[in-house]
Amino acid sequence: MNQLQIKDNQIYLNEEMSKVEELRKKVSDKTLEQLEKEGVFVFPNTINDSEDIKKEQMILQTVNSHTRTGNVMGFIGYKNERLTIGSRFSRGEKDFFFQYLLENVLEFPNVVEMNTDGNQENRLFNMLIFLFPSYLKSALRKGVYKTYNREEYNDYNIKGAIDIARHIRQNIPFTGKIAYNQREFSFDNNMMELIRHTIEFINMKSFGKQLLSKVEGEVKTVIEVTSSYGSFSRKKVIEVNKKNPIHHAYYHEYRTLQRLCIMILQNQKHQIGIGSNQIHGILFDGSWLWEEYINSLISDKFYHPMNKSRKGAQQLFSTDTGKAGLIYPDFLSRDIKNRFVADAKYKPVENIGNKDYLQVLAYMFRFNAKSGFYLYPERHTIQAKTLTLNEGSTYEKNVKSRKDIFVTKLGLLIPYGYSTYETFASEMKKREIEFVSCLYSDLEDKNGRFKKEEN
């Protein structure tokens, strides 16, 4: 098996990717939307949930004799070739940083090694299982999936179409009963049975009960509505679901869950997909992972409007016709008197530029905030850089710095040079404490300065 490990947001010579030449040609210049249709999982859902990663984006893009990687991390395979895309903020062969993000954001058990080795297919299969709770929770937010089922009755209260053949067969001599059929909504259907079989399959894993404990309520709901469940019917349930994929737009979360369950139950460790030429893999939006990770560190002092799920939307303007100019700042401080806004950026500090400045300044203006922050992963040394807003114009030659509007770039230093994940994770915890302490100290300092100026 040919395997290669590369980084996100980098440019490589095509010759450097010769080990996975067939995969490169198969995947290059295909959009994430196309890859999803061919069997690749993209987390979160690219079309409906992510603002930073677009359906038109490409995982690999051909530029003359070079190949450029996008803003995604994960695994992808084709035939006997496997490609691992790690984080550009990890240094060395082992991508502990990507692993750490998955563990903290998606609560993946610490059994997934991210560096390329002979067990990549096993890791890929396990990652499918680890994604199940998140997709189950997302689907059940729409309620339990229900379908029309054809039920057969033979009683005195006819409510449907008479089944003459069955009536003659069952009710001669006539005793007053009528055999009839009726279409009814049912929660115990092939989709819910598929989910139940997946739950039982995961329960058999050594980490299964721990994993499913995160969605204990959802699991209980599925078990309650699947009264006709039987382990012997697994193969039949899988085949019925493969032939009848969910198409209704309202239930698109169930469509993705259906595909995930089938892949898990088929246990295709050596070919996760359909057919020998199927592209398969799991990709993660790097910006989304970083933003959710930062939220886990600072949620006690900041609100986190979620543009991916359209929660916590803020309006720029008030109009008679309703909502106008919806915005989703990454983070908005809980301090009502002195607002702060913060933007999580999964990019090096030198790449934070004009568009980023304009976005944060717009948020600051909307919320009357005097200070904003960029929170980014740092590869070298931590040195918070504070920028002050200018006033005046070059035309009048009266440009000068204001003393009341600040934007600060604050990085979280990513450790490197550690041989084991445990030592890396331990060092990350220390860096997190330093990062949060620095951020909160800056908040208090600026808060005190603003209050002093007001007085």
Side-chain angles (χ1 to χ4, degrees):
M1 184 178 294
N2 297 327
Q3 303 183 45
L4 180 67
Q5 183 171 355
I6 59 177
K7 304 283 188 181
D8 65 57
N9 292 281
Q10 302 295 311
I11 296 177
Y12 297 90
L13 287 169
N14 290 342
E15 289 79 3
E16 295 180 80
M17 302 188 66
S18 59
K19 290 179 66 175
V20 291
E21 183 64 14
E22 281 195 84
L23 185 151
R24 185 187 68 80
K25 290 181 178 178
K26 186 73 175 178
V27 173
S28 287
D29 304 319
K30 282 192 174 182
T31 66
L32 289 170
E33 184 178 29
Q34 290 175 312
L35 291 176
E36 277 192 310
K37 291 178 180 178
E38 294 193 39
V40 176
F41 273 87
V42 183
F43 195 92
N45 182 284
T46 59
I47 299 174
N48 299 298
D49 298 329
S50 182
E51 186 175 85
D52 299 304
I53 189 171
K54 304 295 185 183
K55 63 181 180 180
E56 297 86 5
Q57 187 173 321
M58 300 173 187
I59 175 177
L60 299 178
Q61 186 174 10
T62 303
V63 183
N64 297 323
S65 60
H66 294 75
T67 296
R68 175 183 295 161
T69 57
N71 204 43
V72 293
M73 298 177 280
F75 305 102
I76 194 162
Y78 177 68
K79 292 185 177 179
N80 68 332
E81 298 179 349
R82 302 293 179 265
L83 180 67
T84 301
I85 304 174
S87 171
R88 56 183 156 168
F89 295 100
S90 290
R91 285 179 280 181
E93 293 184 1
K94 296 185 177 181
D95 192 357
F96 292 146
F97 180 53
F98 178 27
Q99 183 174 347
Y100 189 81
L101 290 178
L102 290 177
E103 182 180 319
N104 283 268
V105 174
L106 297 175
E107 299 182 353
F108 275 22
N110 183 17
V111 297
V112 184
E113 281 288 338
M114 294 300 148
N115 52 306
T116 306
D117 60 31
N119 292 320
Q120 192 188 59
E121 291 297 329
N122 292 334
R123 295 197 307 277
L124 183 57
F125 178 70
N126 281 334
M127 290 180 82
L128 289 173
I129 296 177
F130 299 154
L131 285 175
F132 176 77
S134 178
Y135 280 97
L136 176 63
K137 185 178 293 185
S138 176
L140 280 177
R141 288 195 190 105
K142 290 286 179 71
V144 177
Y145 184 76
K146 57 185 179 182
T147 59
Y148 274 115
N149 285 354
R150 180 177 175 274
E151 302 293 344
E152 295 182 347
Y153 294 97
N154 187 39
D155 55 36
Y156 303 100
N157 302 309
I158 182 171
K159 296 179 181 178
I162 297 175
D163 188 335
I164 295 176
R166 187 161 57 86
H167 176 70
I168 294 173
R169 187 170 63 251
Q170 295 181 354
N171 298 320
I172 298 296
F174 184 63
T175 61
K177 292 183 179 180
I178 303 293
Y180 62 94
N181 303 321
Q182 185 176 1
R183 290 184 74 216
E184 297 177 346
F185 268 128
S186 174
F187 294 126
D188 193 1
N189 49 61
N190 289 318
M191 179 67 235
M192 297 307 296
E193 287 288 334
L194 181 70
I195 299 173
R196 174 69 183 278
H197 280 283
T198 309
I199 289 172
E200 299 300 334
F201 177 83
I202 294 175
N203 247 329
M204 299 299 292
K205 297 286 182 180
S206 59
F207 51 80
K209 287 182 172 56
Q210 176 189 352
L211 188 67
L212 293 175
S213 66
K214 303 167 189 173
V215 284
E216 186 176 353
E218 288 81 0
V219 168
K220 183 180 179 182
T221 298
V222 173
I223 293 175
E224 286 176 349
V225 301
T226 51
S227 56
S228 61
Y229 166 78
S231 59
F232 55 86
S233 64
R234 180 168 297 174
K235 184 176 180 181
K236 177 183 176 182
V237 170
I238 293 173
E239 291 304 316
V240 170
N241 277 275
K242 286 172 68 175
K243 292 177 182 177
N244 299 281
I246 294 172
H247 294 294
H248 199 293
Y250 179 76
Y251 286 116
H252 72 270
E253 293 91 350
Y254 275 99
R255 182 167 60 239
T256 308
L257 180 60
Q258 183 185 45
R259 186 160 60 96
L260 179 66
C261 289
I262 290 171
M263 293 172 75
I264 291 174
L265 291 176
Q266 287 185 323
N267 198 9
Q268 295 171 314
K269 293 184 180 180
H270 300 289
Q271 183 54 58
I272 301 175
I274 302 172
S276 60
N277 294 329
Q278 179 74 13
I279 302 171
H280 60 274
I282 305 177
L283 302 173
F284 298 87
D285 175 2
S287 296
W288 180 84
L289 276 175
W290 174 252
E291 183 179 320
E292 296 306 310
Y293 167 63
I294 291 296
N295 182 53
S296 71
L297 300 179
I298 66 173
S299 59
D300 59 325
K301 289 191 181 293
F302 284 87
Y303 297 114
H304 179 38
M306 301 177 72
N307 52 349
K308 310 324 190 262
S309 56
R310 299 296 184 260
K311 294 181 180 178
Q314 307 296 314
Q315 291 178 226
L316 279 176
F317 307 102
S318 295
T319 67
D320 296 333
T321 57
K323 297 179 180 179
L326 290 183
I327 58 173
Y328 298 86
D330 287 351
F331 299 100
L332 184 64
S333 71
R334 297 175 184 269
D335 189 335
I336 298 176
K337 293 183 179 179
N338 293 288
R339 288 289 192 195
F340 298 88
V341 297
D343 199 21
K345 290 297 180 188
Y346 180 71
K347 59 171 66 174
V349 62
E350 60 269 18
N351 291 354
I352 299 175
N354 285 350
K355 289 184 179 179
D356 303 315
Y357 296 147
L358 294 174
Q359 183 184 50
V360 163
L361 286 172
Y363 292 157
M364 290 170 63
F365 180 75
R366 162 62 180 83
F367 297 104
N368 197 27
K370 295 182 178 181
S371 187
F373 293 86
Y374 294 105
L375 309 176
Y376 66 94
E378 177 58 67
R379 292 177 293 186
H380 304 294
T381 57
I382 288 295
Q383 186 176 2
K385 183 178 181 180
T386 298
L387 308 175
T388 56
L389 185 67
N390 278 339
E391 62 181 353
S393 165
T394 54
Y395 294 108
E396 287 81 26
K397 298 181 180 179
N398 59 351
V399 176
K400 63 179 181 179
S401 295
R402 295 180 58 168
K403 303 301 181 183
D404 58 341
I405 303 293
F406 305 91
V407 174
T408 302
K409 297 179 180 180
L410 179 62
L412 194 162
L413 186 60
I414 310 303
Y416 71 98
Y418 296 92
S419 58
T420 67
Y421 177 74
E422 288 70 26
T423 53
F424 172 87
S426 177
E427 187 62 27
M428 273 296 291
K429 295 298 181 186
K430 296 177 184 177
R431 302 290 169 84
E432 289 171 357
I433 294 172
E434 295 172 359
F435 171 78
V436 173
S437 176
C438 185
L439 173 63
Y440 289 0
S441 295
D442 204 344
L443 289 178
E444 291 177 5
D445 290 345
K446 288 187 172 65
N447 205 342
R449 182 185 301 183
F450 297 150
K451 286 181 180 178
K452 186 176 180 181
E453 290 174 355
E454 290 172 0
N455 295 330

